[in-house]
Amino acid sequence: MRRRTSRPAGRRGPIWDDTEGLVFKAFVSQERGQHGAAGHLYASVYLWLDTQAPRAFSWGSAS
């Protein structure tokens, strides 16, 4: 049976649930040997409300 989400996404996903200004977060993964993949791939995609939200998240202040 195939996993619906990767282990890292399953563990880390809930951490982002209450992140202010974060509208959407997607985890993208591909496993070596599945659907022609040559290697493993893991990435995250973020959609923020505005440019200040990720700045405040990353540096603790939007100023």
Side-chain angles (χ1 to χ4, degrees):
M1 178 167 29
R2 296 172 55 95
R3 289 189 309 250
R4 202 176 140 134
T5 60
S6 70
R7 286 184 201 142
R11 284 192 311 266
R12 296 182 187 132
I15 295 170
W16 296 90
D17 288 348
D18 296 323
T19 302
E20 190 172 335
L22 183 62
V23 177
F24 179 80
K25 179 166 176 29
F27 297 97
V28 181
S29 67
Q30 187 176 40
E31 295 181 32
R32 181 179 56 233
Q34 298 293 317
H35 306 287
H40 295 299
L41 169 76
Y42 180 80
S44 300
V45 178
Y46 307 84
L47 177 62
W48 298 88
L49 285 173
D50 57 48
T51 59
Q52 297 303 315
R55 289 180 188 162
F57 175 78
S58 297
W59 292 287
S61 173
S63 56

Short mmCIF file of all heavy atoms in Angstrom, two decimals:
data_model
loop_
_atom_site.label_atom_id
_atom_site.label_comp_id
_atom_site.label_asym_id
_atom_site.label_seq_id
_atom_site.Cartn_x
_atom_site.Cartn_y
_atom_site.Cartn_z
N MET A 1 0.83 -1.17 0.00
CA MET A 1 0.00 0.00 0.00
C MET A 1 0.89 1.25 0.00
O MET A 1 1.88 1.32 0.69
CB MET A 1 -0.90 0.01 1.23
CG MET A 1 -1.73 1.24 1.25
SD MET A 1 -3.13 1.41 2.37
CE MET A 1 -2.79 0.45 3.76
N ARG A 2 0.50 2.24 -0.77
CA ARG A 2 1.28 3.48 -0.88
C ARG A 2 0.89 4.44 0.23
O ARG A 2 -0.26 4.54 0.61
CB ARG A 2 1.03 4.12 -2.23
CG ARG A 2 1.52 3.26 -3.36
CD ARG A 2 1.09 3.82 -4.69
NE ARG A 2 1.49 5.19 -4.86
CZ ARG A 2 2.60 5.57 -5.48
NH1 ARG A 2 3.38 4.68 -6.00
NH2 ARG A 2 2.89 6.84 -5.61
N ARG A 3 1.89 5.15 0.74
CA ARG A 3 1.63 6.17 1.75
C ARG A 3 0.97 7.37 1.09
O ARG A 3 1.31 7.75 -0.02
CB ARG A 3 2.94 6.62 2.39
CG ARG A 3 3.55 5.60 3.27
CD ARG A 3 4.71 6.22 4.02
NE ARG A 3 5.63 6.90 3.16
CZ ARG A 3 6.86 6.48 2.89
NH1 ARG A 3 7.30 5.38 3.42
NH2 ARG A 3 7.65 7.18 2.12
N ARG A 4 0.07 7.98 1.81
CA ARG A 4 -0.60 9.16 1.29
C ARG A 4 0.28 10.41 1.41
O ARG A 4 0.28 11.28 0.56
CB ARG A 4 -1.89 9.37 2.05
CG ARG A 4 -2.87 10.18 1.29
CD ARG A 4 -4.13 10.27 2.04
NE ARG A 4 -4.59 11.62 1.88
CZ ARG A 4 -5.82 11.93 1.59
NH1 ARG A 4 -6.71 11.02 1.49
NH2 ARG A 4 -6.15 13.18 1.42
N THR A 5 1.02 10.53 2.49
CA THR A 5 1.98 11.63 2.65
C THR A 5 3.31 11.03 3.07
O THR A 5 3.37 9.94 3.61
CB THR A 5 1.55 12.64 3.73
OG1 THR A 5 1.44 11.96 4.97
CG2 THR A 5 0.24 13.30 3.38
N SER A 6 4.37 11.77 2.81
CA SER A 6 5.69 11.30 3.24
C SER A 6 5.80 11.43 4.75
O SER A 6 5.07 12.18 5.39
CB SER A 6 6.79 12.10 2.56
OG SER A 6 6.83 13.41 3.07
N ARG A 7 6.72 10.72 5.33
CA ARG A 7 6.90 10.79 6.79
C ARG A 7 7.24 12.20 7.27
O ARG A 7 6.66 12.67 8.24
CB ARG A 7 7.96 9.79 7.23
CG ARG A 7 7.44 8.40 7.18
CD ARG A 7 8.45 7.42 7.71
NE ARG A 7 8.11 6.12 7.19
CZ ARG A 7 8.98 5.23 6.80
NH1 ARG A 7 10.26 5.47 6.89
NH2 ARG A 7 8.59 4.07 6.33
N PRO A 8 8.18 12.91 6.62
CA PRO A 8 8.47 14.28 7.08
C PRO A 8 7.23 15.18 7.01
O PRO A 8 6.98 15.97 7.93
CB PRO A 8 9.55 14.77 6.14
CG PRO A 8 10.21 13.53 5.64
CD PRO A 8 9.11 12.49 5.57
N ALA A 9 6.46 15.08 5.95
CA ALA A 9 5.27 15.92 5.82
C ALA A 9 4.26 15.58 6.90
O ALA A 9 3.64 16.47 7.49
CB ALA A 9 4.65 15.74 4.44
N GLY A 10 4.10 14.32 7.18
CA GLY A 10 3.15 13.91 8.21
C GLY A 10 3.53 14.39 9.60
O GLY A 10 2.68 14.74 10.40
N ARG A 11 4.83 14.43 9.87
CA ARG A 11 5.32 14.89 11.18
C ARG A 11 5.32 16.40 11.29
O ARG A 11 4.98 16.97 12.32
CB ARG A 11 6.73 14.38 11.44
CG ARG A 11 6.81 12.93 11.81
CD ARG A 11 8.19 12.57 12.33
NE ARG A 11 9.28 13.03 11.49
CZ ARG A 11 9.87 12.31 10.54
NH1 ARG A 11 9.47 11.09 10.30
NH2 ARG A 11 10.87 12.80 9.83
N ARG A 12 5.74 17.07 10.24
CA ARG A 12 5.93 18.53 10.30
C ARG A 12 4.71 19.34 9.89
O ARG A 12 4.61 20.51 10.23
CB ARG A 12 7.11 18.93 9.41
CG ARG A 12 8.40 18.35 9.88
CD ARG A 12 9.55 18.78 9.02
NE ARG A 12 10.75 18.09 9.40
CZ ARG A 12 11.56 17.49 8.55
NH1 ARG A 12 11.30 17.52 7.26
NH2 ARG A 12 12.63 16.86 8.98
N GLY A 13 3.81 18.75 9.17
CA GLY A 13 2.63 19.46 8.67
C GLY A 13 1.86 20.22 9.74
O GLY A 13 1.57 21.41 9.58
N PRO A 14 1.50 19.58 10.86
CA PRO A 14 0.71 20.27 11.88
C PRO A 14 1.42 21.48 12.51
O PRO A 14 0.76 22.38 13.03
CB PRO A 14 0.47 19.18 12.93
CG PRO A 14 0.54 17.91 12.16
CD PRO A 14 1.61 18.15 11.12
N ILE A 15 2.74 21.52 12.46
CA ILE A 15 3.49 22.66 13.01
C ILE A 15 3.06 23.96 12.33
O ILE A 15 3.05 25.02 12.95
CB ILE A 15 5.01 22.44 12.83
CG1 ILE A 15 5.46 21.24 13.66
CG2 ILE A 15 5.80 23.69 13.17
CD1 ILE A 15 6.87 20.79 13.36
N TRP A 16 2.68 23.89 11.07
CA TRP A 16 2.36 25.07 10.27
C TRP A 16 0.90 25.50 10.39
O TRP A 16 0.52 26.55 9.90
CB TRP A 16 2.66 24.77 8.80
CG TRP A 16 4.09 24.53 8.58
CD1 TRP A 16 4.74 23.32 8.65
CD2 TRP A 16 5.09 25.49 8.29
NE1 TRP A 16 6.08 23.49 8.40
CE2 TRP A 16 6.32 24.81 8.17
CE3 TRP A 16 5.06 26.86 8.10
CZ2 TRP A 16 7.49 25.47 7.88
CZ3 TRP A 16 6.24 27.51 7.80
CH2 TRP A 16 7.44 26.81 7.70
N ASP A 17 0.06 24.72 11.06
CA ASP A 17 -1.38 24.99 11.09
C ASP A 17 -1.74 26.38 11.59
O ASP A 17 -2.68 26.99 11.09
CB ASP A 17 -2.11 23.94 11.94
CG ASP A 17 -2.17 22.59 11.25
OD1 ASP A 17 -1.86 22.52 10.03
OD2 ASP A 17 -2.52 21.60 11.92
N ASP A 18 -1.04 26.92 12.57
CA ASP A 18 -1.38 28.22 13.15
C ASP A 18 -0.40 29.32 12.77
O ASP A 18 -0.33 30.35 13.44
CB ASP A 18 -1.46 28.09 14.67
CG ASP A 18 -2.59 27.17 15.11
OD1 ASP A 18 -3.65 27.20 14.45
OD2 ASP A 18 -2.40 26.41 16.07
N THR A 19 0.35 29.13 11.70
CA THR A 19 1.32 30.14 11.27
C THR A 19 0.59 31.34 10.68
O THR A 19 -0.13 31.22 9.69
CB THR A 19 2.30 29.55 10.23
OG1 THR A 19 2.95 28.43 10.81
CG2 THR A 19 3.32 30.58 9.80
N GLU A 20 0.76 32.50 11.32
CA GLU A 20 0.06 33.70 10.90
C GLU A 20 0.46 34.12 9.48
O GLU A 20 1.64 34.18 9.15
CB GLU A 20 0.36 34.84 11.86
CG GLU A 20 -0.50 36.05 11.64
CD GLU A 20 -0.33 37.09 12.72
OE1 GLU A 20 0.06 36.73 13.84
OE2 GLU A 20 -0.60 38.27 12.42
N GLY A 21 -0.54 34.37 8.65
CA GLY A 21 -0.30 34.83 7.30
C GLY A 21 -0.08 33.73 6.27
O GLY A 21 -0.06 34.00 5.08
N LEU A 22 0.08 32.50 6.73
CA LEU A 22 0.29 31.39 5.80
C LEU A 22 -1.06 30.86 5.36
O LEU A 22 -1.87 30.40 6.17
CB LEU A 22 1.10 30.28 6.46
CG LEU A 22 1.45 29.08 5.58
CD1 LEU A 22 2.33 29.51 4.40
CD2 LEU A 22 2.15 28.00 6.39
N VAL A 23 -1.33 30.95 4.06
CA VAL A 23 -2.62 30.55 3.51
C VAL A 23 -2.60 29.07 3.11
O VAL A 23 -3.57 28.36 3.33
CB VAL A 23 -2.98 31.41 2.28
CG1 VAL A 23 -4.27 30.97 1.65
CG2 VAL A 23 -3.03 32.87 2.66
N PHE A 24 -1.48 28.62 2.56
CA PHE A 24 -1.41 27.27 2.01
C PHE A 24 0.02 26.76 2.06
O PHE A 24 0.94 27.51 1.80
CB PHE A 24 -1.91 27.30 0.56
CG PHE A 24 -1.88 25.99 -0.14
CD1 PHE A 24 -2.87 25.05 0.05
CD2 PHE A 24 -0.85 25.69 -1.02
CE1 PHE A 24 -2.84 23.83 -0.60
CE2 PHE A 24 -0.81 24.48 -1.69
CZ PHE A 24 -1.81 23.55 -1.47
N LYS A 25 0.18 25.50 2.42
CA LYS A 25 1.49 24.85 2.38
C LYS A 25 1.30 23.47 1.81
O LYS A 25 0.43 22.72 2.25
CB LYS A 25 2.10 24.74 3.77
CG LYS A 25 3.45 24.03 3.75
CD LYS A 25 4.16 24.23 5.05
CE LYS A 25 5.47 23.51 5.20
NZ LYS A 25 6.26 23.25 4.05
N ALA A 26 2.09 23.14 0.82
CA ALA A 26 2.03 21.82 0.19
C ALA A 26 3.38 21.16 0.28
O ALA A 26 4.42 21.81 0.16
CB ALA A 26 1.62 21.95 -1.28
N PHE A 27 3.38 19.88 0.51
CA PHE A 27 4.59 19.07 0.50
C PHE A 27 4.60 18.29 -0.80
O PHE A 27 3.60 17.66 -1.16
CB PHE A 27 4.62 18.10 1.68
CG PHE A 27 4.63 18.77 3.01
CD1 PHE A 27 3.47 18.94 3.73
CD2 PHE A 27 5.82 19.23 3.55
CE1 PHE A 27 3.48 19.55 4.96
CE2 PHE A 27 5.85 19.85 4.78
CZ PHE A 27 4.67 20.01 5.49
N VAL A 28 5.70 18.34 -1.51
CA VAL A 28 5.85 17.63 -2.78
C VAL A 28 6.93 16.58 -2.59
O VAL A 28 8.02 16.89 -2.10
CB VAL A 28 6.26 18.61 -3.91
CG1 VAL A 28 6.40 17.89 -5.23
CG2 VAL A 28 5.27 19.76 -4.00
N SER A 29 6.63 15.34 -2.95
CA SER A 29 7.65 14.30 -2.82
C SER A 29 7.55 13.31 -3.97
O SER A 29 6.49 13.14 -4.58
CB SER A 29 7.50 13.56 -1.49
OG SER A 29 6.31 12.82 -1.46
N GLN A 30 8.68 12.71 -4.25
CA GLN A 30 8.76 11.69 -5.28
C GLN A 30 9.77 10.65 -4.79
O GLN A 30 10.81 11.01 -4.24
CB GLN A 30 9.22 12.32 -6.59
CG GLN A 30 9.19 11.39 -7.77
CD GLN A 30 9.57 12.12 -9.05
OE1 GLN A 30 10.47 12.94 -9.06
NE2 GLN A 30 8.88 11.82 -10.12
N GLU A 31 9.43 9.40 -4.97
CA GLU A 31 10.30 8.33 -4.51
C GLU A 31 11.03 7.70 -5.68
O GLU A 31 10.45 7.47 -6.74
CB GLU A 31 9.49 7.26 -3.78
CG GLU A 31 8.87 7.76 -2.50
CD GLU A 31 8.10 6.68 -1.78
OE1 GLU A 31 8.48 5.50 -1.87
OE2 GLU A 31 7.10 7.02 -1.12
N ARG A 32 12.33 7.43 -5.48
CA ARG A 32 13.15 6.80 -6.51
C ARG A 32 12.46 5.52 -6.97
O ARG A 32 11.97 4.73 -6.18
CB ARG A 32 14.53 6.49 -5.94
CG ARG A 32 15.46 5.84 -6.95
CD ARG A 32 16.84 5.56 -6.39
NE ARG A 32 16.76 4.73 -5.19
CZ ARG A 32 17.32 5.04 -4.03
NH1 ARG A 32 17.99 6.17 -3.90
NH2 ARG A 32 17.21 4.25 -3.00
N GLY A 33 12.42 5.34 -8.28
CA GLY A 33 11.84 4.14 -8.85
C GLY A 33 10.33 4.19 -9.07
O GLY A 33 9.77 3.31 -9.70
N GLN A 34 9.67 5.22 -8.56
CA GLN A 34 8.22 5.37 -8.75
C GLN A 34 7.95 6.33 -9.90
O GLN A 34 8.48 7.44 -9.91
CB GLN A 34 7.57 5.91 -7.47
CG GLN A 34 7.72 5.00 -6.26
CD GLN A 34 6.94 3.71 -6.44
OE1 GLN A 34 5.80 3.70 -6.90
NE2 GLN A 34 7.58 2.61 -6.07
N HIS A 35 7.17 5.90 -10.86
CA HIS A 35 6.79 6.74 -12.00
C HIS A 35 8.00 7.30 -12.74
O HIS A 35 8.00 8.45 -13.17
CB HIS A 35 5.86 7.87 -11.55
CG HIS A 35 4.66 7.40 -10.80
ND1 HIS A 35 3.61 6.75 -11.40
CD2 HIS A 35 4.37 7.43 -9.48
CE1 HIS A 35 2.72 6.42 -10.50
NE2 HIS A 35 3.15 6.84 -9.31
N GLY A 36 9.04 6.52 -12.84
CA GLY A 36 10.22 6.90 -13.60
C GLY A 36 11.20 7.82 -12.88
O GLY A 36 12.14 8.33 -13.49
N ALA A 37 10.99 8.06 -11.59
CA ALA A 37 11.88 8.97 -10.84
C ALA A 37 13.26 8.36 -10.68
O ALA A 37 13.41 7.22 -10.29
CB ALA A 37 11.29 9.27 -9.47
N ALA A 38 14.29 9.15 -10.99
CA ALA A 38 15.67 8.70 -10.86
C ALA A 38 16.16 8.79 -9.42
O ALA A 38 17.10 8.11 -9.04
CB ALA A 38 16.58 9.53 -11.77
N GLY A 39 15.54 9.63 -8.62
CA GLY A 39 15.97 9.80 -7.23
C GLY A 39 14.84 10.32 -6.38
O GLY A 39 13.74 10.57 -6.87
N HIS A 40 15.12 10.48 -5.10
CA HIS A 40 14.14 11.01 -4.17
C HIS A 40 14.07 12.53 -4.32
O HIS A 40 15.09 13.19 -4.54
CB HIS A 40 14.51 10.67 -2.73
CG HIS A 40 14.48 9.21 -2.44
ND1 HIS A 40 13.35 8.44 -2.55
CD2 HIS A 40 15.46 8.36 -2.06
CE1 HIS A 40 13.62 7.19 -2.22
NE2 HIS A 40 14.91 7.12 -1.93
N LEU A 41 12.89 13.09 -4.15
CA LEU A 41 12.68 14.53 -4.21
C LEU A 41 11.73 14.91 -3.08
O LEU A 41 10.74 14.22 -2.84
CB LEU A 41 12.05 14.93 -5.55
CG LEU A 41 11.52 16.35 -5.66
CD1 LEU A 41 12.69 17.31 -5.83
CD2 LEU A 41 10.56 16.48 -6.81
N TYR A 42 12.05 16.00 -2.39
CA TYR A 42 11.18 16.51 -1.34
C TYR A 42 11.27 18.03 -1.37
O TYR A 42 12.36 18.59 -1.36
CB TYR A 42 11.61 15.99 0.04
CG TYR A 42 10.74 16.49 1.15
CD1 TYR A 42 9.51 15.90 1.41
CD2 TYR A 42 11.13 17.57 1.91
CE1 TYR A 42 8.70 16.37 2.42
CE2 TYR A 42 10.33 18.05 2.93
CZ TYR A 42 9.12 17.44 3.18
OH TYR A 42 8.31 17.92 4.18
N ALA A 43 10.13 18.67 -1.44
CA ALA A 43 10.11 20.13 -1.47
C ALA A 43 8.84 20.64 -0.81
O ALA A 43 7.87 19.90 -0.64
CB ALA A 43 10.18 20.63 -2.92
N SER A 44 8.83 21.90 -0.43
CA SER A 44 7.66 22.54 0.15
C SER A 44 7.28 23.75 -0.69
O SER A 44 8.14 24.43 -1.25
CB SER A 44 7.97 23.02 1.57
OG SER A 44 8.34 21.93 2.38
N VAL A 45 5.97 24.01 -0.76
CA VAL A 45 5.45 25.16 -1.49
C VAL A 45 4.62 25.96 -0.50
O VAL A 45 3.76 25.41 0.18
CB VAL A 45 4.58 24.71 -2.68
CG1 VAL A 45 3.99 25.91 -3.40
CG2 VAL A 45 5.37 23.83 -3.62
N TYR A 46 4.88 27.27 -0.40
CA TYR A 46 4.20 28.13 0.55
C TYR A 46 3.43 29.21 -0.20
O TYR A 46 3.92 29.78 -1.16
CB TYR A 46 5.20 28.85 1.45
CG TYR A 46 6.18 27.95 2.15
CD1 TYR A 46 7.34 27.53 1.52
CD2 TYR A 46 5.94 27.54 3.45
CE1 TYR A 46 8.25 26.71 2.18
CE2 TYR A 46 6.84 26.72 4.12
CZ TYR A 46 7.99 26.30 3.47
OH TYR A 46 8.87 25.50 4.12
N LEU A 47 2.24 29.55 0.28
CA LEU A 47 1.47 30.67 -0.25
C LEU A 47 1.11 31.56 0.93
O LEU A 47 0.43 31.13 1.87
CB LEU A 47 0.20 30.18 -0.95
CG LEU A 47 -0.74 31.25 -1.50
CD1 LEU A 47 -0.02 32.10 -2.56
CD2 LEU A 47 -1.99 30.63 -2.07
N TRP A 48 1.61 32.80 0.90
CA TRP A 48 1.41 33.75 1.99
C TRP A 48 0.41 34.82 1.60
O TRP A 48 0.26 35.13 0.41
CB TRP A 48 2.73 34.41 2.35
CG TRP A 48 3.77 33.45 2.83
CD1 TRP A 48 4.66 32.76 2.05
CD2 TRP A 48 4.02 33.04 4.17
NE1 TRP A 48 5.45 31.96 2.85
CE2 TRP A 48 5.08 32.11 4.15
CE3 TRP A 48 3.45 33.37 5.40
CZ2 TRP A 48 5.58 31.52 5.31
CZ3 TRP A 48 3.95 32.79 6.55
CH2 TRP A 48 5.01 31.88 6.49
N LEU A 49 -0.23 35.43 2.58
CA LEU A 49 -1.20 36.50 2.32
C LEU A 49 -0.55 37.73 1.69
O LEU A 49 -1.12 38.38 0.83
CB LEU A 49 -1.89 36.93 3.62
CG LEU A 49 -2.93 35.98 4.17
CD1 LEU A 49 -3.41 36.45 5.54
CD2 LEU A 49 -4.11 35.90 3.21
N ASP A 50 0.65 38.08 2.15
CA ASP A 50 1.37 39.25 1.64
C ASP A 50 2.86 39.05 1.87
O ASP A 50 3.27 38.07 2.46
CB ASP A 50 0.87 40.54 2.31
CG ASP A 50 1.00 40.49 3.82
OD1 ASP A 50 2.09 40.13 4.34
OD2 ASP A 50 0.02 40.81 4.50
N THR A 51 3.67 39.99 1.42
CA THR A 51 5.13 39.84 1.54
C THR A 51 5.63 40.00 2.97
O THR A 51 6.72 39.54 3.30
CB THR A 51 5.86 40.84 0.64
OG1 THR A 51 5.49 42.17 1.00
CG2 THR A 51 5.55 40.58 -0.83
N GLN A 52 4.88 40.66 3.83
CA GLN A 52 5.31 40.87 5.21
C GLN A 52 5.19 39.61 6.05
O GLN A 52 5.98 39.42 6.98
CB GLN A 52 4.51 42.00 5.85
CG GLN A 52 4.69 43.35 5.19
CD GLN A 52 6.15 43.78 5.17
OE1 GLN A 52 6.86 43.66 6.16
NE2 GLN A 52 6.60 44.28 4.03
N ALA A 53 4.24 38.73 5.76
CA ALA A 53 4.02 37.53 6.57
C ALA A 53 5.24 36.60 6.61
O ALA A 53 5.66 36.21 7.69
CB ALA A 53 2.77 36.79 6.10
N PRO A 54 5.85 36.25 5.47
CA PRO A 54 7.03 35.39 5.56
C PRO A 54 8.23 36.10 6.19
O PRO A 54 9.05 35.46 6.85
CB PRO A 54 7.31 34.99 4.11
CG PRO A 54 6.63 36.01 3.28
CD PRO A 54 5.45 36.47 4.09
N ARG A 55 8.33 37.40 6.03
CA ARG A 55 9.41 38.15 6.68
C ARG A 55 9.25 38.08 8.20
O ARG A 55 10.22 37.84 8.92
CB ARG A 55 9.42 39.60 6.22
CG ARG A 55 9.87 39.77 4.81
CD ARG A 55 9.85 41.22 4.41
NE ARG A 55 10.10 41.33 2.99
CZ ARG A 55 9.82 42.39 2.27
NH1 ARG A 55 9.31 43.47 2.83
NH2 ARG A 55 10.07 42.41 0.99
N ALA A 56 8.04 38.31 8.66
CA ALA A 56 7.78 38.25 10.10
C ALA A 56 8.04 36.85 10.63
O ALA A 56 8.61 36.68 11.71
CB ALA A 56 6.34 38.67 10.40
N PHE A 57 7.67 35.85 9.87
CA PHE A 57 7.90 34.46 10.29
C PHE A 57 9.40 34.16 10.35
O PHE A 57 9.89 33.58 11.32
CB PHE A 57 7.21 33.51 9.32
CG PHE A 57 7.52 32.07 9.61
CD1 PHE A 57 6.88 31.39 10.64
CD2 PHE A 57 8.46 31.39 8.86
CE1 PHE A 57 7.18 30.07 10.93
CE2 PHE A 57 8.78 30.07 9.13
CZ PHE A 57 8.12 29.41 10.17
N SER A 58 10.13 34.57 9.33
CA SER A 58 11.56 34.24 9.24
C SER A 58 12.44 35.05 10.19
O SER A 58 13.38 34.52 10.76
CB SER A 58 12.05 34.46 7.81
OG SER A 58 11.40 33.59 6.92
N TRP A 59 12.15 36.32 10.33
CA TRP A 59 13.01 37.20 11.10
C TRP A 59 12.38 37.73 12.38
O TRP A 59 12.99 38.53 13.08
CB TRP A 59 13.51 38.36 10.23
CG TRP A 59 14.45 37.85 9.18
CD1 TRP A 59 15.73 37.42 9.38
CD2 TRP A 59 14.19 37.68 7.79
NE1 TRP A 59 16.27 36.99 8.19
CE2 TRP A 59 15.34 37.15 7.19
CE3 TRP A 59 13.07 37.94 7.00
CZ2 TRP A 59 15.41 36.86 5.84
CZ3 TRP A 59 13.16 37.65 5.65
CH2 TRP A 59 14.32 37.12 5.09
N GLY A 60 11.17 37.35 12.65
CA GLY A 60 10.51 37.74 13.89
C GLY A 60 9.91 39.13 13.90
O GLY A 60 9.33 39.56 14.86
N SER A 61 10.07 39.86 12.80
CA SER A 61 9.52 41.21 12.72
C SER A 61 9.32 41.57 11.27
O SER A 61 10.14 41.25 10.43
CB SER A 61 10.46 42.22 13.37
OG SER A 61 10.00 43.51 13.14
N ALA A 62 8.25 42.25 10.97
CA ALA A 62 7.98 42.67 9.59
C ALA A 62 8.66 43.98 9.25
O ALA A 62 8.59 44.45 8.14
CB ALA A 62 6.47 42.81 9.38
N SER A 63 9.32 44.60 10.21
CA SER A 63 9.96 45.90 9.93
C SER A 63 11.38 45.75 9.47
O SER A 63 12.02 44.79 9.63
CB SER A 63 9.91 46.77 11.17
OG SER A 63 10.50 46.12 12.28
#
